[in-house]
Amino acid sequence: MSPAGGSAAGLTIETQGLTKRFGHQLAVDNVDLAVPQGAVFGFLGPNGSGKTTTIRMLLGLAAASAGTVSVLGMPMPRQLQEVLPRVGALVEGPAFYPFLSGTANLHRFDAASRHGTPGTRNARVAAALDRVGLSHAAGKRVHAYSLGMKQRLGIANALLSPRELLVLDEPTNGLDPQGTREVRSLVRSLAADGATVFVSSHLLAEVEQICTHAAIMSAGRLVAQGPLEELRRGGEMRIRLLTPDAGTACEVLLRLGMAPERAGVAGINAAGLHAAGSPGMDGEVVTAGAAAVARPAGAAEIAGNAQRVQEPVLPHPEDIVAALVAAGVRVRGFAVERESLEERFVALTGEGFDVAQ
Ligand SMILES: Nc1ncnc2c1ncn2[C@@H]1O[C@H](COP(=O)(O)OP(=O)(O)OP(=O)(O)O)[C@@H](O)[C@H]1O
């Protein structure tokens, strides 16, 4: 039997070959998403990479050109009527009436929903406002709300009835640092209540702060997905070497099966490697990544066309240094580094991420 609210595989959202074309443009290209039940799933990608279009297809707001969508174990949009009452969504922000209070706005939304029982509306609206920390401003007109408060009111609207899945499209977009903090902490607490949260963002730092899992979109394609820890571990290991014998060093590193690159002249001071200028300590910086091989089957979270998480294989650092010294390379500085999540994402998407907090 399937677990409540998910597929047999414990997935709250599952897509296969999901594709959306606008004319000749492939906005979403053969995407296989796998969102585990209970995850806070960050849907990460630069602007225009296809996040909103994917979300619209998940919610039945746009028709797919090809592929399948399953939400809470049910096919979408075929079972839209059963699925939507169990899903709270914040997509493109609901339009509030500015001269009505927060309470009055939620009353209108609740009344418009076919699923809200009128007799319990007052209690439902009050509970939703309380849940997002807006009880104190419940009677205030929305035009006097800050952006963060409006965003929280949008989330309250998504919470008018108990939800198993929350889908939030860029919930902190346009918010000031205080509003951003408020919304992030709200997202965390919603997940702590047991809902699966699917949240899109173009901010890597945001996803790192609130998410347990992430998927990365680039130009309509899903380029990686999995638990954040696995995505982090997938970062390539590399060494950084300072030596005046860069040519010989590169030959040695190549013989060890590594891929050396000469990264310029540098020196060492108290702060570590930096611009050249310390007599006797200058040299050239050589970096070298390890040859990457696929993990053993089952060890990594793999889904469909997502790029396989790579397990880097680096020779032992002491063996690298020994080989260098044996070949007469003067080793003036040596470090082992792991590619950061940000570098990895940039490598996967070919684009920089906005790293603002
Ligand atoms: N209705 C539409 N008609 C034509 N093209 C569209 C339409 N909606 C989206 N697109 C295009 O599809 C691509 C993906 O857009 P989408 O809004 O899904 O990206 P996104 O990752 O959500 O970006 P953003 O963070 O800027 O919203 C873009 O090139 C966009 O211009």
Side-chain angles (χ1 to χ4, degrees), residues 104-177:
N105 267 287
L106 289 196
H107 268 264
R108 295 185 74 106
F109 279 111
D110 195 70
S113 149
R114 293 192 298 112
H115 308 283
T117 323
T120 51
R121 182 162 299 138
N122 283 340
R124 224 172 17 252
V125 167
L129 287 167
D130 182 48
R131 187 67 194 79
V132 302
L134 277 182
S135 297
H136 67 286
K140 212 183 212 182
R141 289 176 180 188
V142 165
H143 78 91
Y145 278 23
S146 67
L147 258 181
M149 290 164 81
K150 282 185 191 146
Q151 204 65 335
R152 283 191 282 151
L153 188 62
I155 296 175
N157 178 41
L159 294 173
L160 279 171
S161 59
R163 311 292 194 179
E164 290 155 67
L165 169 65
L166 285 162
V167 178
L168 310 172
D169 191 13
E170 299 266 6
T172 61
N173 228 5
L175 299 187
D176 62 14

Side-chain angles (χ1 to χ4, degrees), residues 257-331:
M258 301 174 73
E261 278 178 31
R262 293 167 80 148
V265 176
I268 293 183
N269 71 0
L273 274 182
H274 86 135
S278 329
M281 294 299 276
D282 287 352
E284 207 174 319
V285 176
V286 177
T287 60
V293 296
R295 281 167 187 241
E301 165 118 3
I302 309 295
N305 62 351
Q307 177 162 324
R308 190 164 278 264
V309 177
Q310 303 276 298
E311 181 81 80
V313 180
L314 196 71
H316 289 298
E318 58 271 33
D319 295 340
I320 300 172
V321 174
L324 289 167
V325 171
V329 173
R330 288 165 288 173
V331 177

Side-chain angles (χ1 to χ4, degrees), residues 72 74 76-87 114-115 164:
L72 299 170
M74 288 177 270
M76 284 288 274
R78 201 177 332 137
Q79 282 183 258
L80 190 109
Q81 301 297 342
E82 288 98 308
V83 170
L84 286 193
R86 295 161 61 187
V87 179
R114 293 192 298 112
H115 308 283
E164 290 155 67

Side-chain angles (χ1 to χ4, degrees), residues 22 25 27 46-53 170:
F22 293 112
Q25 191 194 355
N47 292 122
S49 55
K51 304 182 299 293
T52 301
T53 305
E170 299 266 6

Side-chain angles (χ1 to χ4, degrees), residues 234-256:
E236 196 191 325
M237 300 289 288
R238 66 181 169 218
I239 60 118
R240 179 178 291 269
L241 170 73
L242 178 70
T243 176
D245 309 310
T248 317
C250 287
E251 287 166 20
V252 173
L253 294 169
L254 273 172
R255 274 206 303 278
L256 292 173

Side-chain angles (χ1 to χ4, degrees), residues 205-231:
E206 175 155 284
V207 166
E208 286 204 89
Q209 281 173 39
I210 62 179
C211 295
T212 57
H213 293 66
I216 305 155
M217 292 287 284
S218 174
R221 295 185 65 86
L222 186 67
V223 290
Q225 73 176 326
L228 217 53
E229 270 317 302
E230 264 185 30
L231 292 172

